[in-house]
Amino acid sequence: RRPHSARGCGERDLTAADAINRRASAPRRRSAGEVLGHPRAAVRAAADSAVNLEDIGKLEEVADAAVVLFFLSSGYFASRNCRREVYAALARNRPIEAAIEADKDKGGATVEEMQAEIRRCSAAQAIGIPSADAVIARVFARDPVPWLRLHDYQVVSLKEIALRVLRHLPYYVSNPGGLDRGLALPGELPPFRFPPPGITVLVCDANVGAREVAEEIRATTIADRSNSAGTVMVDDVGAVFAAGAAPPPGAVALLVYLNESAFTDAGGVLAATLRRAMDAGVPIALVHELDEERGACVFARYFDQAPDVLQQPPYKLFDRMAVYLYPSAGHRKISLRHVMRDLGAEPVAKAHLFARLSRAITSSSGGSLGEFPGRGYRERMRHHLCACCPGASRS
């Protein structure tokens, strides 16, 4: 299918048609070049309608699949053909991985909704038909990979799907360490760093949850090795605005955390703090929580909870773009990098590929870069090139 455009960002989607598109013309094995850019990848796409199938009789032929990947969306288990392929995978005891559509406008559903659909659509117990509990136990043995459609987040989804599939393939079953460093895909959002002397991220204690997100940002810069621990400081906005307080070194910005409790504090402390910060010209970064366990709610709710004065000139708070904070770890890291960019961080330049490969080869072989580039050296170069860049040619 033609890739969709990501709403509101002007960037093109990565297409998942070769990897997990369940509207394939027929179930078939796909090569690495088609699916994951890797020479040993093979996945099976599930079809959801008899109209899409050239030969329904081949639907259950999953015995030769190293792994079966299901792309789940609302109505998936209501399809007889989809259920048949799930039953066949269970009967053949094939390894199963799953991805789940996150966009409600495109059939997105929660894990709980999909499990309820299995129970509704499962036929009465019959010979050869597994129970709903058995299907749930196998399909949801691991949390499905959320399939997000905004570019930077979609790359994360695709990487996680690729890693899960590759770990089941014979080569990596025998050589599990080959994936320890993960995968690199073109178009990944790089780490970000704050230029010296760093930044002080201001939080309002009346904005419950803001300090925790600010600490997440600080931890991300350290984990990405883009900044030292002292480069990103977190401080209470009241202390900085106090009379006689010395201004913090470096840049300053106020982080506003939006969840169901935003702007509900007694006395309107958060609203007053925002007005004072914007009057002083302090940059504002908005983050919108999407994790239901952390109080996620629809964005429209903030228009009701925030005072009108903040929504009108000269403040117009919600004219700023809010960064979505996704719940899954890989996607949340990308969210935090977007917040860092909004706070003035700069992308970290990636090391030259050859330098990275040379260091990897030297550390693994114990040799030096000055050795004669004979067959052994060239073979190690090919190995590391394929490990770091799965789409690279082996020739």
Side-chain angles (χ1 to χ4, degrees), residues 172-230:
Y172 288 111
V173 170
S174 301
N175 301 273
L179 295 172
D180 286 350
R181 295 188 178 185
L183 300 177
L185 291 184
E188 289 182 82
L189 188 71
F192 282 75
R193 66 181 299 274
F194 291 101
I199 187 173
T200 299
V201 181
L202 303 179
V203 295
C204 176
D205 286 339
N207 184 199
V208 178
R211 183 175 293 274
E212 287 76 8
V213 174
E215 292 294 348
E216 283 187 79
I217 294 171
R218 186 170 179 268
T220 298
T221 64
I222 298 172
D224 286 343
R225 300 180 182 178
S226 56
N227 282 112
S228 61

Side-chain angles (χ1 to χ4, degrees), residues 204-277:
C204 176
D205 286 339
N207 184 199
V208 178
R211 183 175 293 274
E212 287 76 8
V213 174
E215 292 294 348
E216 283 187 79
I217 294 171
R218 186 170 179 268
T220 298
T221 64
I222 298 172
D224 286 343
R225 300 180 182 178
S226 56
N227 282 112
S228 61
T231 306
V232 180
M233 304 298 295
V234 180
D235 203 351
D236 177 61
V237 65
V240 174
F241 282 171
V252 175
L254 176 62
L255 179 72
V256 180
Y257 178 62
L258 301 176
N259 70 349
E260 62 184 6
S261 65
F263 303 106
T264 62
D265 59 291
V269 176
L270 175 59
T273 299
L274 272 166
R275 291 179 63 183
R276 185 175 181 184

Side-chain angles (χ1 to χ4, degrees), residues 343-360:
L343 293 174
E346 302 170 347
V348 176
K350 291 185 177 180
H352 190 277
L353 175 61
F354 183 79
R356 293 170 59 195
L357 296 178
S358 297
R359 287 196 295 271

Side-chain angles (χ1 to χ4, degrees), residues 39-57:
R40 293 184 177 86
V43 299
R44 184 174 296 278
D48 66 347
S49 170
V51 176
N52 300 117
L53 300 177
E54 295 177 359
D55 185 352
I56 296 178

Side-chain angles (χ1 to χ4, degrees), residues 5 7 24 57 104 127 167 215 234 241 269 271 289 291 341:
S5 295
R7 293 174 296 168
K104 291 289 186 179
I127 297 176
R167 288 192 178 103
E215 292 294 348
V234 180
F241 282 171
V269 176
E289 183 62 73
D291 188 348
R341 183 167 60 184

